[in-house]
């Protein structure tokens, strides 16, 4: 399923996993398509929504790029963007848009209200409102369409709140009606219907004075701020309250027969904890479950908040007039004792058979059994009771009971998501607890550090409460810093004195849960703790190896059941961060984990996975590696920290193509530098790492790249017998060296490097390496002015690549062919080839490749004297470069071509500034901007230079001194 969420920040969730949508403008395009789905949205409508009445020249191209990017985000058949002429529509068999779901729920709720079913109406409206996660379309406030669309959505939300208050009032849930109506009057102080409902609910709750005050307050507001009188309905309501003859919203019903549970006060139901945050959706879901299931089990780690949720559900159930009884089983260990305790809580004589005695409990009674895992064998007994009795059971447990008809509801940590400047639920709890021990706390100033604390604790309420107590001696910032540094946070030694011993500290909770694990799971736990984040079951099985006495899948399931691990819809698992850190630090005599062996197993796994990437762009392999990027980074970090030079080198060499093809250049450089620092430059791995170091420096536009490559490659030489196995690292290193030399007009050096690449590729007889050599031979020929030879070499490479279906390398060669065809003056062919490249590149993940295609298409359009279209492509390429991969060489070429566009339009001062900015970016290199463009194109800039005279140089010098500001001014005018 693909979910598009607009009722808060714009989000896309595919099969339970959130995907990055992109920048504000791309998010806005998605929002407009989702709001109109399944109707068409024209390109003009999208442009108006994003840019309003003054769109840039690149708007149409940008919309095309944004749509292409969104297609990748949405992920395929479940939801897709169709094109129909000059318009697009968002459709899909498994597409869910929260706005659509919200509006449908509001409509159904209002229908139920009109049909005289206020209980159902209130529930439906509550479900609809629960979809909201903050201000609608949050983050898009600066874009033109937000004002109208965001306001319309918020108006619908407020109207739904008013209808919900009406339903609650008619249902007799007076306090809830008061709370909801009051919320509306605070948000919309002139919403008279909400004021009427608030006054009516207060009156029927026995608070006549407050009801009259409510009428007086709205009368004053309307008069003072709007200069109008209250409506006749509000005036009549005030008069009825004064006379105390206000009719009830519904005829009073007879008191419910409650049998052994006379009222909520007699059930033993504890008061709601303060604050009770972040659980409204879960409480609503459990209440709904209790309407159809008779055994619901809230399952989670000790201290996760199961009891608080159960208490809240009990209060919600009781407010609906349903019998509820709460029974704490902490001190019980036998089923007979637990049942006896429950009978007495209900006021029933247990007699000789408590189970039989419970059969008389009234149908619809909800029994809350807290800490049921303490009583061995109780699950089977409860199944027998449910077969003959009529009660409903809501249990809390650290593990599923695994009995018939059990509905398991996992209780997760508190959410770490904040919105509209408000703290996340986890941080709200933390700051409230800190405020109890530090009265001087500045909550607003502490929110950012509080969020970091809660992220380090993974939102676990018990951990949050324990760490908050440290605020007696530490500031919130100090607590956050100590947790992030992995130092002593007091988490294990801080103990609560108001709970059971097994929840006295997080350490006690984790140890208790570990002791209850099956042996296979206990053995798996410390191994998995060596790795960070979400990991696939394939990787877990590789790291753990054969499992004595049970399967790895069973062990993972045991960890999840115990609340020690989470799992997601993609089949991945992760240990919660505090638990992972605790397990790593254990010094209780448990068998230590060989971290070296864990890293070696990860290296073996990734070495078996990534070889296809050496031959071609393989989306399936890239997705598999991306799925496990958290533990892979963890393995890299462990290898670095433990100074495992060979393991770190092997991991880097196995992952380098993944980093390149997915655009993670900065990350690649960080790990390559770390590996070089451990391995040095000796040995096969040493020189291969040095070659990679220079190659990725070139990809990042580092002016030191050529020197690094030269040092490495000259040391290795070109004798195939002397370099060890010839692979892509070595051949590509020579190719990159050739490209750098060509760019700085050192054609002789470039030709020699290309020849070295060809010789090594020929010795290997590897088709992939031969294609690399052909490509760089053509590239150098183009820089030497022999465009016919370049085109021939690139066409030869293209034939082979098309046969293999390698779209990534096909796009690379097509972009080179655009350059060749432009050099030959065959502009229309260049345009056609650039169009094919663009159609292919939108299916790739590589931002760098997309920016490169836009640049070459811009070049072809400039040569075709279509400067307006060229400018659109070049600006979008410039934006991608700035935001994702600021390669100075590529950015300089884009600026130079934009200067040509300005010169063609006789905007000579602009042309001068842009040309100067291009030269400024390459000032620290030996590359000339002029040499990167065809002579006919450069002639346009020379024309501007002649027309401006000395003023051209002045403006160019100014542009060169402020190149980054020139780029920002172009992209964010």
């Amino acid at each position: 399923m693909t979910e598009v969420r607009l009722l808060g920040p714009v989000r896309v969730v595919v099969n339970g996993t959130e995907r990055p949508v992109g920048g504000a403008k791309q998010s806005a395009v998605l929002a407009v398509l989702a709001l109109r789905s399944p109707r068409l949205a024209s390109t003009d409508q999208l442009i108006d929504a994003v840019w309003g009445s003054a769109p840039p020249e690149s708007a149409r191209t940008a919309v095309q790029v944004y749509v292409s990017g969104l297609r990748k985000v949405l992920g395929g058949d479940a939801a897709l963007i169709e094109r129909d002429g000059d318009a697009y529509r968002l459709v899909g068999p498994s597409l869910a848009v929260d706005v659509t779901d919200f509006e449908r729920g509001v409509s159904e709720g209002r229908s139920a209200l009109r049909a005289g079913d206020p209980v159902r109406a209130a529930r439906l409206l509550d479900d609809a409102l629960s979809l909201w996660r903050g201000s609608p379309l949050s983050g898009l406030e600066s874009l033109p369409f937000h004002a109208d669309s965001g306001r319309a959505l918020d108006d619908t939300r407020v109207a739904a709140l008013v209808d919900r208050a009406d339903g609650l009032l008619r249902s007799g849930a007076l306090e809830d009606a008061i709370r909801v109506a009051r919320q509306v009057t605070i948000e919309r102080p002139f919403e008279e219907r909400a004021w009427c409902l608030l006054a009516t609910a207060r009156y029927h709750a026995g608070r006549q004075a407050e009801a009259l005050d409510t009428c007086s307050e709205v009368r004053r507001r309307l008069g003072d701020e709007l200069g109008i009188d209250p409506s006749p309905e509000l005036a009549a309501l005030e008069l009825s309250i004064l006379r105390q003859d206000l009719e009830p919203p519904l005829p009073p019903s007879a008191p419910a027969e409650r049998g052994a549970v006379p009222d909520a006060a007699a059930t033993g139901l504890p008061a709601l904890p303060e604050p009770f945050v972040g659980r409204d959706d879960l409480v609503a879901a459990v209440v709904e479950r209790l309407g159809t299931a008779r055994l619901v089990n809230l399952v989670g780690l000790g201290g996760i908040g199961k009891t608080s949720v159960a208490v809240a559900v009990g209060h919600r159930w009781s407010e609906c007039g349903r019998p509820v009884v709460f029974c704490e089983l902490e001190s019980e260990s036998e089923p007979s004792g637990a049942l006896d305790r429950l009978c007495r809580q209900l006021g029933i004589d247990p007699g000789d058979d408590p189970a039989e005695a419970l059969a008389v409990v009234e149908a619809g009674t909800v029994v809350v059994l807290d800490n049921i895992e303490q009583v061995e064998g109780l699950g089977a007994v409860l199944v027998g009771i449910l077969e003959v009795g009529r009660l409903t059971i809501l249990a809390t447990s650290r593990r599923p009971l695994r009995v018939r008809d059990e509905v398991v509801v996992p209780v997760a940590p508190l959410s770490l998501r904040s919105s509209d400047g408000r703290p996340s639920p986890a941080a709200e709890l933390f700051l409230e607890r800190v405020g109890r021990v530090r009265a001087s706390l500045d909550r607003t100033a502490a929110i950012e550090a509080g969020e970091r604390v809660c992220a380090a604790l993974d939102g676990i309420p018990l951990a949050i409460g324990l760490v908050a107590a440290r605020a007696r001696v530490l500031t919130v910032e100090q607590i956050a810093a100590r947790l992030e540094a992995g130092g002593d946070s007091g988490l294990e030694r801080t103990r609560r004195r108001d709970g059971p011993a097994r929840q006295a500290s997080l350490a006690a909770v984790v140890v208790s849960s570990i002791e209850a694990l099956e042996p296979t799971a206990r053995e798996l736990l410390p191994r998995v703790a060596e790795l960070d984040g979400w990991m696939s079951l394939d990787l877990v099985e590789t790291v753990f190896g054969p499992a004595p006495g049970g399967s790895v899948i069973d062990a993972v399931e045991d960890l999840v059941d115990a609340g020690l691990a989470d799992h997601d819809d993609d089949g991945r698992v992760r240990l919660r961060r505090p638990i992972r850190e605790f397990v790593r630090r254990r010094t209780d005599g448990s068998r230590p984990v060989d971290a070296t062996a864990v890293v070696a197993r990860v290296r073996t796994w990734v070495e078996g996975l990534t070889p296809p990437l050496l031959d071609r762009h393989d989306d399936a392999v890239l997705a598999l590696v991306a799925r496990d990027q958290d533990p892979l980074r963890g393995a890299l970090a462990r290898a670095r920290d433990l100074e495992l030079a060979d393991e770190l080198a092997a991991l880097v060499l196995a992952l380098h193509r993944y980093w390149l093809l997915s655009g993670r250049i900065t990350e690649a450089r960080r790990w390559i530098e770390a590996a070089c620092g451990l391995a040095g430059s000796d040995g096969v791995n040493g020189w291969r790492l040095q070659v990679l170091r220079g190659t990725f420096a070139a990809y990042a536009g580092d002016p030191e790249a050529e020197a690094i490559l030269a040092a490495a490659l000259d040391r290795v030489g070109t004798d195939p017998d002397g370099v060890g196995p010839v692979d892509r690292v070595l051949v590509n290193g020579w190719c990159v060296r050739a490209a750098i030399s060509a760019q700085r007009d050192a054609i002789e050096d470039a030709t020699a490097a290309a020849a070295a690449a060809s010789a090594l590729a020929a010795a290997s007889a590897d088709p992939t390496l031969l294609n690399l050599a052909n490509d760089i031979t053509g590239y150098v020929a183009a820089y030497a002015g022999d465009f016919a030879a370049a085109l021939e070499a690139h066409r030869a490479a293209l034939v082979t690549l098309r046969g293999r279906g390698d779209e990534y390398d096909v796009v690379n060669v097509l972009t080179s062919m655009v350059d060749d065809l432009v050099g030959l003056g065959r502009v229309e062919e260049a345009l056609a080839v650039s169009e094919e490249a663009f159609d292919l590149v939108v299916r790739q993940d590589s931002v760098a490749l997309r920016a490169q295609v836009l640049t070459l298409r811009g070049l072809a359009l400039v040569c075709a004297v279509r400067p307006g279209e060229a400018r659109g492509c070049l600006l979008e390429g410039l934006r991608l470069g700035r935001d994702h991969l600021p390669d100075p060489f590529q950015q300089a070429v884009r600026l130079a071509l934009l200067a040509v566009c300005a010169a063609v339009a006789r905007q000579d001062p602009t042309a001068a500034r842009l040309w100067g900015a291009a030269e400024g970016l390459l000032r620290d290199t030996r590359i000339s901007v002029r040499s990167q463009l065809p002579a006919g194109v450069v002639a346009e800039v020379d024309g501007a230079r002649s027309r401006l005279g000395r003023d051209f140089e002045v403006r160019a010098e100014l542009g060169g001194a402020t190149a980054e500001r020139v780029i920002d001014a172009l992209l964010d005018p």
Side-chain angles (χ1 to χ4, degrees), residues 686-726:
W687 67 253
R688 291 170 81 204
L689 287 171
Q690 291 295 332
V691 172
L692 271 186
R693 179 170 169 247
T695 301
F696 274 82
Y699 295 152
D702 188 333
E704 298 298 320
E706 187 176 17
I708 297 170
L709 272 173
L713 292 171
D714 289 346
R715 181 173 181 180
V716 174
T718 59
D719 180 4
D721 297 327
V723 299
V726 176

Short mmCIF file of all heavy atoms in Angstrom, two decimals, residues 686-726:
data_model
loop_
_atom_site.label_atom_id
_atom_site.label_comp_id
_atom_site.label_asym_id
_atom_site.label_seq_id
_atom_site.Cartn_x
_atom_site.Cartn_y
_atom_site.Cartn_z
N GLY A 686 45.76 -1.87 -0.26
CA GLY A 686 46.25 -0.52 -0.02
C GLY A 686 46.16 0.34 -1.26
O GLY A 686 45.62 1.45 -1.24
N TRP A 687 46.72 -0.16 -2.39
CA TRP A 687 46.69 0.68 -3.60
C TRP A 687 45.29 0.79 -4.18
O TRP A 687 44.93 1.81 -4.77
CB TRP A 687 47.71 0.23 -4.62
CG TRP A 687 47.51 -1.11 -5.30
CD1 TRP A 687 48.21 -2.25 -5.08
CD2 TRP A 687 46.56 -1.42 -6.33
NE1 TRP A 687 47.77 -3.27 -5.89
CE2 TRP A 687 46.75 -2.77 -6.68
CE3 TRP A 687 45.58 -0.70 -6.99
CZ2 TRP A 687 46.00 -3.42 -7.65
CZ3 TRP A 687 44.81 -1.34 -7.96
CH2 TRP A 687 45.02 -2.68 -8.29
N ARG A 688 44.49 -0.26 -4.04
CA ARG A 688 43.13 -0.17 -4.56
C ARG A 688 42.34 0.90 -3.79
O ARG A 688 41.55 1.66 -4.37
CB ARG A 688 42.42 -1.52 -4.44
CG ARG A 688 42.99 -2.56 -5.39
CD ARG A 688 42.45 -3.93 -5.10
NE ARG A 688 41.14 -4.16 -5.67
CZ ARG A 688 40.28 -5.06 -5.21
NH1 ARG A 688 40.58 -5.77 -4.13
NH2 ARG A 688 39.12 -5.24 -5.81
N LEU A 689 42.54 0.97 -2.50
CA LEU A 689 41.87 2.00 -1.70
C LEU A 689 42.35 3.39 -2.09
O LEU A 689 41.56 4.34 -2.15
CB LEU A 689 42.11 1.76 -0.21
CG LEU A 689 41.37 0.57 0.42
CD1 LEU A 689 41.87 0.31 1.84
CD2 LEU A 689 39.86 0.84 0.45
N GLN A 690 43.65 3.53 -2.37
CA GLN A 690 44.16 4.83 -2.77
C GLN A 690 43.58 5.26 -4.12
O GLN A 690 43.26 6.44 -4.34
CB GLN A 690 45.70 4.80 -2.84
CG GLN A 690 46.39 4.66 -1.49
CD GLN A 690 46.14 5.87 -0.60
OE1 GLN A 690 45.94 6.99 -1.07
NE2 GLN A 690 46.16 5.65 0.72
N VAL A 691 43.42 4.29 -5.03
CA VAL A 691 42.79 4.60 -6.31
C VAL A 691 41.34 5.03 -6.09
O VAL A 691 40.87 6.01 -6.68
CB VAL A 691 42.85 3.38 -7.26
CG1 VAL A 691 42.02 3.64 -8.53
CG2 VAL A 691 44.30 3.09 -7.65
N LEU A 692 40.63 4.31 -5.23
CA LEU A 692 39.26 4.70 -4.92
C LEU A 692 39.20 6.08 -4.29
O LEU A 692 38.30 6.87 -4.57
CB LEU A 692 38.63 3.69 -3.94
CG LEU A 692 37.91 2.48 -4.50
CD1 LEU A 692 37.24 1.71 -3.38
CD2 LEU A 692 36.87 2.88 -5.54
N ARG A 693 40.18 6.37 -3.45
CA ARG A 693 40.23 7.68 -2.80
C ARG A 693 40.30 8.79 -3.84
O ARG A 693 39.58 9.80 -3.77
CB ARG A 693 41.43 7.73 -1.87
CG ARG A 693 41.62 9.05 -1.14
CD ARG A 693 42.70 8.91 -0.06
NE ARG A 693 43.08 10.21 0.46
CZ ARG A 693 44.28 10.77 0.29
NH1 ARG A 693 45.24 10.13 -0.38
NH2 ARG A 693 44.55 11.96 0.79
N GLY A 694 41.18 8.61 -4.83
CA GLY A 694 41.28 9.62 -5.88
C GLY A 694 40.06 9.66 -6.77
O GLY A 694 39.60 10.74 -7.18
N THR A 695 39.49 8.50 -7.07
CA THR A 695 38.31 8.44 -7.94
C THR A 695 37.13 9.18 -7.32
O THR A 695 36.47 9.99 -7.97
CB THR A 695 37.93 6.97 -8.20
OG1 THR A 695 39.03 6.29 -8.81
CG2 THR A 695 36.72 6.89 -9.11
N PHE A 696 36.86 8.92 -6.06
CA PHE A 696 35.72 9.57 -5.42
C PHE A 696 36.02 11.04 -5.13
O PHE A 696 35.09 11.86 -5.07
CB PHE A 696 35.32 8.82 -4.14
CG PHE A 696 34.39 7.68 -4.41
CD1 PHE A 696 34.87 6.45 -4.82
CD2 PHE A 696 33.01 7.83 -4.27
CE1 PHE A 696 34.02 5.40 -5.09
CE2 PHE A 696 32.14 6.79 -4.54
CZ PHE A 696 32.65 5.57 -4.95
N ALA A 697 37.28 11.40 -4.97
CA ALA A 697 37.61 12.82 -4.87
C ALA A 697 37.24 13.53 -6.17
O ALA A 697 36.73 14.65 -6.16
CB ALA A 697 39.09 12.99 -4.56
N ALA A 698 37.47 12.86 -7.29
CA ALA A 698 37.10 13.44 -8.58
C ALA A 698 35.59 13.57 -8.71
O ALA A 698 35.08 14.58 -9.20
CB ALA A 698 37.65 12.58 -9.72
N TYR A 699 34.86 12.54 -8.27
CA TYR A 699 33.40 12.61 -8.34
C TYR A 699 32.87 13.79 -7.52
O TYR A 699 31.83 14.37 -7.86
CB TYR A 699 32.78 11.32 -7.80
CG TYR A 699 33.07 10.08 -8.61
CD1 TYR A 699 33.08 8.83 -8.00
CD2 TYR A 699 33.32 10.15 -9.97
CE1 TYR A 699 33.34 7.68 -8.72
CE2 TYR A 699 33.60 9.01 -10.70
CZ TYR A 699 33.61 7.77 -10.08
OH TYR A 699 33.87 6.64 -10.80
N ALA A 700 33.57 14.14 -6.45
CA ALA A 700 33.13 15.25 -5.60
C ALA A 700 33.69 16.59 -6.06
O ALA A 700 33.45 17.61 -5.42
CB ALA A 700 33.56 14.98 -4.15
N GLY A 701 34.46 16.59 -7.15
CA GLY A 701 35.02 17.84 -7.65
C GLY A 701 36.18 18.36 -6.83
O GLY A 701 36.48 19.57 -6.87
N ASP A 702 36.87 17.48 -6.13
CA ASP A 702 38.01 17.89 -5.30
C ASP A 702 39.22 18.17 -6.20
O ASP A 702 39.64 17.31 -6.97
CB ASP A 702 38.33 16.75 -4.32
CG ASP A 702 39.37 17.17 -3.28
OD1 ASP A 702 40.19 18.06 -3.56
OD2 ASP A 702 39.36 16.58 -2.18
N PRO A 703 39.81 19.37 -6.13
CA PRO A 703 40.95 19.69 -7.00
C PRO A 703 42.18 18.82 -6.73
O PRO A 703 43.09 18.77 -7.56
CB PRO A 703 41.23 21.17 -6.68
CG PRO A 703 40.56 21.45 -5.38
CD PRO A 703 39.39 20.54 -5.31
N GLU A 704 42.21 18.12 -5.60
CA GLU A 704 43.35 17.25 -5.29
C GLU A 704 43.20 15.87 -5.92
O GLU A 704 44.09 15.02 -5.79
CB GLU A 704 43.48 17.08 -3.76
CG GLU A 704 43.75 18.37 -3.02
CD GLU A 704 45.07 18.99 -3.45
OE1 GLU A 704 46.05 18.24 -3.65
OE2 GLU A 704 45.12 20.22 -3.61
N ALA A 705 42.08 15.62 -6.59
CA ALA A 705 41.80 14.28 -7.10
C ALA A 705 42.89 13.78 -8.04
O ALA A 705 43.35 12.64 -7.95
CB ALA A 705 40.44 14.27 -7.81
N GLU A 706 43.35 14.63 -9.00
CA GLU A 706 44.34 14.20 -9.99
C GLU A 706 45.65 13.80 -9.32
O GLU A 706 46.25 12.77 -9.67
CB GLU A 706 44.58 15.29 -11.02
CG GLU A 706 45.47 14.83 -12.15
CD GLU A 706 45.63 15.88 -13.24
OE1 GLU A 706 45.33 17.07 -12.97
OE2 GLU A 706 46.06 15.52 -14.35
N ALA A 707 46.05 14.57 -8.33
CA ALA A 707 47.32 14.24 -7.64
C ALA A 707 47.20 12.93 -6.89
O ALA A 707 48.14 12.12 -6.88
CB ALA A 707 47.69 15.38 -6.69
N ILE A 708 46.06 12.71 -6.24
CA ILE A 708 45.87 11.46 -5.49
C ILE A 708 45.90 10.28 -6.45
O ILE A 708 46.56 9.25 -6.20
CB ILE A 708 44.55 11.50 -4.72
CG1 ILE A 708 44.56 12.61 -3.68
CG2 ILE A 708 44.28 10.16 -4.05
CD1 ILE A 708 43.20 12.88 -3.04
N LEU A 709 45.18 10.41 -7.58
CA LEU A 709 45.15 9.32 -8.56
C LEU A 709 46.53 9.07 -9.16
O LEU A 709 46.95 7.91 -9.34
CB LEU A 709 44.15 9.65 -9.67
CG LEU A 709 42.70 9.24 -9.43
CD1 LEU A 709 41.81 9.79 -10.54
CD2 LEU A 709 42.57 7.73 -9.36
N ALA A 710 47.20 10.14 -9.50
CA ALA A 710 48.53 9.98 -10.11
C ALA A 710 49.47 9.23 -9.18
O ALA A 710 50.19 8.32 -9.61
CB ALA A 710 49.10 11.35 -10.47
N ALA A 711 49.46 9.59 -7.89
CA ALA A 711 50.35 8.92 -6.93
C ALA A 711 50.05 7.43 -6.84
O ALA A 711 50.95 6.59 -6.79
CB ALA A 711 50.21 9.58 -5.56
N ALA A 712 48.75 7.12 -6.83
CA ALA A 712 48.36 5.71 -6.70
C ALA A 712 48.63 4.93 -7.98
O ALA A 712 49.22 3.84 -7.96
CB ALA A 712 46.89 5.62 -6.30
N LEU A 713 48.21 5.47 -9.11
CA LEU A 713 48.30 4.73 -10.37
C LEU A 713 49.74 4.62 -10.86
O LEU A 713 50.13 3.58 -11.42
CB LEU A 713 47.42 5.39 -11.42
CG LEU A 713 45.91 5.29 -11.15
CD1 LEU A 713 45.14 6.16 -12.13
CD2 LEU A 713 45.43 3.85 -11.23
N ASP A 714 50.52 5.66 -10.67
CA ASP A 714 51.92 5.58 -11.10
C ASP A 714 52.69 4.55 -10.29
O ASP A 714 53.61 3.90 -10.81
CB ASP A 714 52.59 6.95 -10.98
CG ASP A 714 52.07 7.94 -12.02
OD1 ASP A 714 51.41 7.50 -12.97
OD2 ASP A 714 52.32 9.17 -11.85
N ARG A 715 52.31 4.38 -9.06
CA ARG A 715 52.97 3.37 -8.22
C ARG A 715 52.59 1.96 -8.65
O ARG A 715 53.42 1.06 -8.68
CB ARG A 715 52.59 3.59 -6.77
CG ARG A 715 53.26 2.61 -5.82
CD ARG A 715 52.99 2.96 -4.38
NE ARG A 715 53.65 2.04 -3.48
CZ ARG A 715 53.59 2.11 -2.16
NH1 ARG A 715 52.91 3.09 -1.59
NH2 ARG A 715 54.22 1.23 -1.41
N VAL A 716 51.32 1.80 -9.06
CA VAL A 716 50.85 0.48 -9.47
C VAL A 716 51.39 0.13 -10.84
O VAL A 716 51.79 -1.01 -11.11
CB VAL A 716 49.30 0.46 -9.50
CG1 VAL A 716 48.79 -0.85 -10.07
CG2 VAL A 716 48.76 0.65 -8.10
N GLY A 717 51.40 1.11 -11.76
CA GLY A 717 51.84 0.84 -13.12
C GLY A 717 50.73 0.24 -13.96
O GLY A 717 49.59 0.10 -13.54
N THR A 718 51.08 -0.14 -15.19
CA THR A 718 50.08 -0.65 -16.14
C THR A 718 50.36 -2.07 -16.58
O THR A 718 49.66 -2.59 -17.45
CB THR A 718 50.04 0.25 -17.38
OG1 THR A 718 51.34 0.28 -17.98
CG2 THR A 718 49.61 1.67 -17.01
N ASP A 719 51.37 -2.70 -16.03
CA ASP A 719 51.68 -4.09 -16.41
C ASP A 719 50.64 -5.00 -15.76
O ASP A 719 50.59 -5.12 -14.53
CB ASP A 719 53.08 -4.46 -15.92
CG ASP A 719 53.44 -5.91 -16.29
OD1 ASP A 719 52.62 -6.57 -16.97
OD2 ASP A 719 54.51 -6.37 -15.87
N PRO A 720 49.79 -5.65 -16.55
CA PRO A 720 48.75 -6.51 -15.96
C PRO A 720 49.31 -7.59 -15.05
O PRO A 720 48.64 -8.03 -14.12
CB PRO A 720 48.06 -7.11 -17.19
CG PRO A 720 48.37 -6.17 -18.31
CD PRO A 720 49.73 -5.61 -18.01
N ASP A 721 50.55 -8.04 -15.34
CA ASP A 721 51.12 -9.10 -14.50
C ASP A 721 51.60 -8.58 -13.16
O ASP A 721 51.83 -9.36 -12.23
CB ASP A 721 52.30 -9.76 -15.22
CG ASP A 721 51.86 -10.46 -16.51
OD1 ASP A 721 50.71 -10.96 -16.52
OD2 ASP A 721 52.65 -10.48 -17.47
N GLY A 722 51.72 -7.25 -13.05
CA GLY A 722 52.28 -6.71 -11.82
C GLY A 722 51.28 -6.07 -10.89
O GLY A 722 51.65 -5.63 -9.79
N VAL A 723 50.02 -5.99 -11.33
CA VAL A 723 49.05 -5.27 -10.51
C VAL A 723 48.08 -6.20 -9.78
O VAL A 723 47.18 -5.73 -9.07
CB VAL A 723 48.23 -4.29 -11.37
CG1 VAL A 723 49.14 -3.27 -12.02
CG2 VAL A 723 47.42 -5.04 -12.43
N GLY A 724 48.27 -7.50 -9.95
CA GLY A 724 47.29 -8.40 -9.35
C GLY A 724 46.05 -8.45 -10.23
O GLY A 724 46.10 -8.12 -11.42
N PRO A 725 44.93 -8.85 -9.69
CA PRO A 725 43.72 -8.96 -10.50
C PRO A 725 43.29 -7.60 -11.05
O PRO A 725 43.21 -6.62 -10.31
CB PRO A 725 42.67 -9.52 -9.52
CG PRO A 725 43.19 -9.16 -8.16
CD PRO A 725 44.68 -9.20 -8.28
N VAL A 726 43.05 -7.55 -12.37
CA VAL A 726 42.57 -6.32 -12.99
C VAL A 726 41.07 -6.24 -12.75
O VAL A 726 40.32 -7.14 -13.12
CB VAL A 726 42.86 -6.32 -14.50
CG1 VAL A 726 42.25 -5.08 -15.15
CG2 VAL A 726 44.36 -6.39 -14.75
#
